[in-house]
Each structure stands twice: as C-alpha cells, then as structure tokens.
Amino acid sequence: KINCECRKPNTGLFIKAKKEMDIDLNESWMIGDSTSDILAANNLGMKNILINTGLAGRDYKYAIAPDYVFFDLKSAIDWIITDHPILKIKAESFLQKIENKRFIFIGGLARSGKSTWAQILKESLSAKNNNDVHKISLDSWLIPKKDRTEGNIFNRFNMKNINNFIKRVSNQNKKDITIDLPYYDRINRDYSPKSIRYTIKPKDTLIIEGVPALCLDDKDLNKFNFFVEYPENLRKERMMIDYQWRNTQKSDFENLYNERLSDEIPFIHKSKSKADLVL
C-alpha cells in the first residue's frame, strides 16, 4: 500500500469529490466499518456512522469514537433519511432548557437509544454554542467481564471512578483537563487497545450517557437530566440482535435478558424519578 492523500484517513478523495461534484461536506455523511473511515469523516467535519459489518470498528488503528453506530448499511441509510431529521427537530424544541448547562446526563436501559440522543444533542448544541461539546460514554468505565463480581448493574461499572471524574470536572478552574478514556470492546467485553483523548476546557459542555447516568452523585451540579424510554419488546429485539452479533447463543441471551429483569431494570427505572425530561 502506498502512502497517498487518497487513502483514508487522509482526505484527498473527499476534497476531490467536493470540487468535482459541488458537495457540501458539512451536510454529508460517511458510512464505514473502520476507524480510518470515521477519522477521515471527523477530519472533514462530516457526520459519520460506524456499521457492525466488516471490521465493525475493531481494526483499532486510530483512537476515534463514531457519531453513531448501526447494525448494517440499511439501518444507517434509514437513519439518515428518516429518523435523524425528525429527532433533530425534536431536540431543537428543548434546546433552550439545556444550552447553559455544564452537564447533560442521559440515562435509561441498555439499547434504549441513549447514545443516539447524546449525539443528536451534541450536534444541536455545537451549532449554537461557541464552546466545545463532548459526548462521553459511561461504557469507558465498564468493568471488564473477567474482573466483575456478582451483583447488580452497579457492579458492572466502576461507579467510584465515574463520580471522581464528574467531581474533577465540576471543580475545574481555569486550566484544561486532559483525560484518556478507554473504548470498550463489546465482543471481547474488555477494553480495546487504544484510548480516546478528551481535552476539556472550563466552559465546555459534557453530555454523559450510559445506563447508570442518573444514578451518579450529581448534587449541586449545573445539569439537566434526560431519561430515554423505548418499547420493551423493541428494546429486547435490539438487545438480541446485538448479542447475536457478539456470537451469543439464543438460549444464553434469554438467560442474560432474564437476569437483567432483576439486576438492572428495577434500579434504572427508579432513577427515572431524577429526570427533568423523558424522551
């Protein structure tokens, strides 16, 4: 392979296409299966989608998180054409409630759409805000499967370290904070080889999404809490597709789902009472 501006994550071919076909890259989307695809889009300010086919982002060549993740190409295209415009309008309807908040927490059950809403809100706030907006997944604090102890949802996350991170940012003075957060590999159920670096300025906005996002120590924070709901039959279907992708047998999935009914759902439903808005 030659080192060429035409090879992703270099942007040569994108720039050429922009000139020859009069493409507005800021209004364009990149759909890909590798970190090279996602980094190329990010370098150009393009919205991007990682699909769970081919490499599924597990090449780990570059430390980059995608805007969105979908199971396949059809799902990604449906999102771009139909769902994204609808949710973008909905997000802008309550933008005034969140535009001056330092922290935006998005909680809800697994596979309910939290990360999707986090990115939608990031796009809307970034278009209106002079400061940076960071989308941070609590999956960065998931405990690797091999190191977990028996218990409920809170035994799967390092809750102490999450709260320490929130406290550190909330007490931030005039100095930037730089932190490297691991990217969780959902197939290996362990951290990937590369970490993603965030540089957080004192006036930046943090959108923090994850199952226990409304279960954190958030007293006295300048925050807004969202809770995301999704019909249970459709959520279970999403979970099943996800675990099939992870090579989980159907019987094993049913056992896992039944475990979640007792060790996750009651605790997360209880956190809904802290929500300022239910999506």
Coordinates of all heavy atoms in Angstrom, one line a residue, residues 234-270:
L234 N -39.4 -3.9 21.6 CA -38.4 -3.5 20.6 C -37.0 -3.4 21.2 O -36.0 -3.7 20.5 CB -38.8 -2.1 20.0 CG -40.2 -2.1 19.3 CD1 -40.5 -0.7 18.8 CD2 -40.1 -3.1 18.1
R235 N -36.9 -3.0 22.4 CA -35.6 -2.9 23.1 C -35.0 -4.3 23.2 O -33.8 -4.5 23.0 CB -35.8 -2.3 24.5 CG -34.4 -2.0 25.2 CD -34.7 -1.4 26.6 NE -35.0 -2.5 27.5 CZ -34.1 -3.3 28.1 NH1 -32.8 -3.1 27.9 NH2 -34.5 -4.2 28.9
K236 N -35.8 -5.3 23.6 CA -35.4 -6.7 23.7 C -34.9 -7.2 22.3 O -33.8 -7.9 22.2 CB -36.5 -7.6 24.2 CG -36.0 -9.1 24.4 CD -37.1 -10.0 24.9 CE -36.6 -11.4 25.0 NZ -37.7 -12.3 25.5
E237 N -35.6 -6.8 21.3 CA -35.2 -7.2 19.9 C -33.8 -6.6 19.6 O -33.0 -7.3 19.0 CB -36.2 -6.7 18.9 CG -36.0 -7.2 17.5 CD -37.1 -6.7 16.5 OE1 -38.2 -6.7 16.9 OE2 -36.7 -6.4 15.4
R238 N -33.6 -5.3 19.9 CA -32.3 -4.7 19.7 C -31.2 -5.4 20.5 O -30.1 -5.6 19.9 CB -32.4 -3.2 20.2 CG -33.0 -2.2 19.2 CD -32.9 -0.9 19.8 NE -33.4 0.2 19.0 CZ -33.4 1.5 19.3 NH1 -32.9 1.9 20.4 NH2 -33.9 2.4 18.4
M239 N -31.5 -5.8 21.7 CA -30.5 -6.5 22.5 C -30.2 -7.8 21.9 O -29.0 -8.2 21.8 CB -31.1 -6.7 23.9 CG -31.1 -5.5 24.8 SD -31.6 -5.9 26.5 CE -30.3 -7.0 27.1
M240 N -31.2 -8.5 21.4 CA -31.0 -9.8 20.8 C -30.1 -9.7 19.6 O -29.1 -10.5 19.4 CB -32.3 -10.5 20.5 CG -32.2 -11.9 19.9 SD -33.7 -12.8 19.8 CE -34.5 -11.8 18.6
I241 N -30.3 -8.7 18.7 CA -29.5 -8.5 17.5 C -28.1 -8.2 17.9 O -27.1 -8.8 17.4 CB -30.1 -7.4 16.7 CG1 -31.4 -7.8 16.1 CG2 -29.1 -7.0 15.5 CD1 -32.2 -6.7 15.4
D242 N -27.9 -7.4 19.0 CA -26.6 -7.0 19.4 C -25.8 -8.3 20.0 O -24.7 -8.5 19.7 CB -26.7 -6.0 20.5 CG -25.4 -5.5 21.1 OD1 -24.5 -5.2 20.2 OD2 -25.2 -5.5 22.3
Y243 N -26.5 -9.1 20.8 CA -25.8 -10.2 21.3 C -25.6 -11.3 20.3 O -24.6 -12.1 20.4 CB -26.6 -10.8 22.5 CG -26.2 -10.0 23.8 CD1 -27.0 -8.9 24.2 CD2 -25.2 -10.4 24.6 CE1 -26.6 -8.1 25.3 CE2 -24.8 -9.7 25.7 CZ -25.5 -8.5 26.1 OH -25.2 -7.8 27.2
Q244 N -26.4 -11.4 19.3 CA -26.2 -12.3 18.2 C -24.9 -11.9 17.5 O -24.1 -12.8 17.1 CB -27.4 -12.4 17.2 CG -28.6 -13.2 17.8 CD -29.8 -13.1 16.8 OE1 -29.8 -12.2 16.0 NE2 -30.7 -14.0 17.0
W245 N -24.7 -10.6 17.3 CA -23.5 -10.1 16.7 C -22.3 -10.4 17.5 O -21.2 -10.7 17.0 CB -23.7 -8.6 16.5 CG -22.4 -7.9 16.1 CD1 -21.8 -8.0 14.8 CD2 -21.6 -7.0 16.8 NE1 -20.7 -7.2 14.8 CE2 -20.5 -6.6 16.0 CE3 -21.7 -6.5 18.1 CZ2 -19.6 -5.7 16.4 CZ3 -20.7 -5.6 18.5 CH2 -19.7 -5.2 17.7
R246 N -22.5 -10.5 18.8 CA -21.4 -10.9 19.7 C -21.2 -12.5 19.8 O -20.5 -13.0 20.7 CB -21.7 -10.4 21.1 CG -21.8 -8.9 21.2 CD -21.8 -8.5 22.7 NE -22.6 -7.3 23.0 CZ -22.7 -6.8 24.2 NH1 -22.0 -7.3 25.2 NH2 -23.4 -5.7 24.4
N247 N -22.0 -13.2 18.9 CA -21.9 -14.6 18.9 C -22.5 -15.3 20.1 O -22.0 -16.4 20.5 CB -20.4 -15.1 18.6 CG -19.9 -14.6 17.3 OD1 -20.5 -14.7 16.3 ND2 -18.6 -14.1 17.4
T248 N -23.5 -14.7 20.7 CA -24.2 -15.3 21.8 C -25.3 -16.2 21.4 O -26.1 -15.8 20.5 CB -24.7 -14.2 22.8 OG1 -23.7 -13.3 23.2 CG2 -25.4 -14.8 24.0
Q249 N -25.4 -17.4 21.9 CA -26.5 -18.3 21.5 C -27.8 -17.8 22.1 O -27.9 -17.1 23.1 CB -26.2 -19.7 22.1 CG -25.0 -20.3 21.6 CD -25.1 -20.6 20.1 OE1 -26.1 -21.0 19.6 NE2 -24.0 -20.3 19.4
K250 N -28.9 -18.1 21.4 CA -30.2 -17.6 21.8 C -30.6 -18.0 23.2 O -31.1 -17.1 23.9 CB -31.3 -18.1 20.8 CG -32.7 -17.5 21.0 CD -33.7 -17.9 20.0 CE -35.0 -17.3 20.3 NZ -36.1 -17.7 19.3
S251 N -30.3 -19.2 23.6 CA -30.7 -19.6 24.9 C -29.9 -18.8 26.0 O -30.4 -18.5 27.0 CB -30.4 -21.1 25.1 OG -29.0 -21.4 24.8
D252 N -28.6 -18.6 25.7 CA -27.8 -17.8 26.6 C -28.3 -16.3 26.7 O -28.2 -15.7 27.7 CB -26.3 -17.8 26.1 CG -25.7 -19.2 26.2 OD1 -26.1 -19.9 27.1 OD2 -24.7 -19.4 25.5
F253 N -28.7 -15.8 25.5 CA -29.3 -14.5 25.5 C -30.5 -14.4 26.4 O -30.7 -13.5 27.2 CB -29.6 -14.0 24.1 CG -30.5 -12.8 24.1 CD1 -29.9 -11.5 24.5 CD2 -31.9 -12.8 23.9 CE1 -30.7 -10.4 24.5 CE2 -32.7 -11.7 24.0 CZ -32.1 -10.5 24.2
E254 N -31.4 -15.4 26.3 CA -32.6 -15.4 27.1 C -32.3 -15.4 28.6 O -32.9 -14.7 29.4 CB -33.5 -16.6 26.8 CG -34.2 -16.5 25.4 CD -35.2 -15.3 25.3 OE1 -35.7 -14.9 26.3 OE2 -35.4 -14.9 24.1
N255 N -31.3 -16.2 29.0 CA -30.9 -16.2 30.4 C -30.3 -14.8 30.8 O -30.7 -14.3 31.9 CB -29.8 -17.3 30.6 CG -30.3 -18.7 30.4 OD1 -31.5 -18.9 30.6 ND2 -29.4 -19.6 30.1
L256 N -29.5 -14.2 29.9 CA -29.0 -12.9 30.3 C -30.1 -11.9 30.4 O -30.1 -11.0 31.3 CB -28.0 -12.5 29.2 CG -27.3 -11.2 29.4 CD1 -25.8 -11.3 28.9 CD2 -28.0 -10.0 28.6
Y257 N -31.1 -11.9 29.4 CA -32.2 -10.9 29.5 C -33.0 -11.1 30.8 O -33.3 -10.1 31.4 CB -33.1 -11.2 28.3 CG -34.3 -10.2 28.3 CD1 -34.2 -8.9 27.9 CD2 -35.5 -10.7 28.6 CE1 -35.3 -8.1 27.9 CE2 -36.6 -9.9 28.6 CZ -36.5 -8.6 28.3 OH -37.6 -7.8 28.3
N258 N -33.2 -12.3 31.2 CA -34.0 -12.6 32.4 C -33.2 -12.1 33.6 O -33.8 -11.6 34.6 CB -34.3 -14.0 32.6 CG -35.3 -14.5 31.6 OD1 -36.2 -13.7 31.2 ND2 -35.3 -15.7 31.1
E259 N -31.9 -12.2 33.6 CA -31.0 -11.6 34.7 C -31.2 -10.1 34.7 O -31.3 -9.5 35.8 CB -29.6 -12.0 34.5 CG -29.2 -13.4 34.7 CD -27.8 -13.8 34.4 OE1 -27.0 -12.8 34.1 OE2 -27.4 -14.9 34.4
R260 N -31.2 -9.5 33.6 CA -31.3 -8.0 33.5 C -32.7 -7.5 34.1 O -32.8 -6.4 34.6 CB -31.2 -7.5 32.1 CG -29.8 -7.7 31.5 CD -28.8 -6.8 32.1 NE -27.5 -6.9 31.4 CZ -26.5 -7.7 31.8 NH1 -26.7 -8.6 32.8 NH2 -25.4 -7.8 31.1
L261 N -33.7 -8.4 34.0 CA -35.0 -8.0 34.5 C -35.0 -7.8 36.0 O -35.8 -7.1 36.6 CB -36.0 -9.1 34.2 CG -36.4 -9.3 32.7 CD1 -37.4 -10.4 32.5 CD2 -37.0 -8.0 32.1
S262 N -34.0 -8.4 36.7 CA -33.9 -8.3 38.1 C -32.7 -7.5 38.6 O -32.8 -6.8 39.6 CB -33.8 -9.7 38.8 OG -32.7 -10.4 38.3
D263 N -31.6 -7.6 37.9 CA -30.4 -6.9 38.4 C -30.1 -5.5 37.7 O -29.2 -4.8 38.1 CB -29.1 -7.8 38.3 CG -28.7 -8.0 36.8 OD1 -29.2 -7.3 35.9 OD2 -27.8 -8.8 36.6
E264 N -30.9 -5.1 36.7 CA -30.7 -3.8 36.1 C -32.0 -3.0 36.0 O -32.1 -1.8 36.5 CB -30.2 -4.0 34.7 CG -30.1 -2.7 33.9 CD -29.5 -2.9 32.5 OE1 -28.5 -3.7 32.3 OE2 -30.1 -2.3 31.5
I265 N -33.1 -3.6 35.5 CA -34.3 -2.8 35.2 C -34.9 -2.1 36.4 O -35.2 -0.9 36.3 CB -35.3 -3.7 34.5 CG1 -34.8 -4.0 33.1 CG2 -36.7 -3.0 34.4 CD1 -35.7 -4.9 32.2
P266 N -35.0 -2.8 37.6 CA -35.6 -2.0 38.7 C -34.8 -0.8 39.2 O -35.4 0.2 39.5 CB -35.7 -3.1 39.8 CG -35.6 -4.4 39.1 CD -34.8 -4.2 37.9
F267 N -33.5 -1.0 39.2 CA -32.6 0.1 39.6 C -32.7 1.3 38.6 O -32.7 2.5 39.1 CB -31.2 -0.4 39.8 CG -31.1 -1.5 40.8 CD1 -31.1 -2.8 40.4 CD2 -31.0 -1.2 42.1 CE1 -30.9 -3.9 41.3 CE2 -30.8 -2.2 43.1 CZ -30.8 -3.6 42.6
I268 N -32.6 1.0 37.4 CA -32.6 2.1 36.4 C -34.0 2.8 36.2 O -34.1 4.0 36.1 CB -32.1 1.5 35.0 CG1 -30.7 0.9 35.2 CG2 -32.1 2.7 34.0 CD1 -29.7 1.8 35.9
H269 N -35.1 2.0 36.3 CA -36.4 2.6 36.3 C -36.5 3.5 37.5 O -37.2 4.6 37.4 CB -37.5 1.5 36.4 CG -37.8 1.0 35.0 ND1 -38.6 -0.1 34.8 CD2 -37.6 1.5 33.8 CE1 -38.7 -0.4 33.5 NE2 -38.1 0.6 32.9
K270 N -36.0 3.2 38.6 CA -36.0 4.1 39.8 C -35.3 5.4 39.6 O -35.8 6.4 40.0 CB -35.4 3.3 41.0 CG -35.5 4.1 42.3 CD -34.9 3.3 43.5 CE -35.1 4.0 44.8 NZ -34.5 3.2 45.9

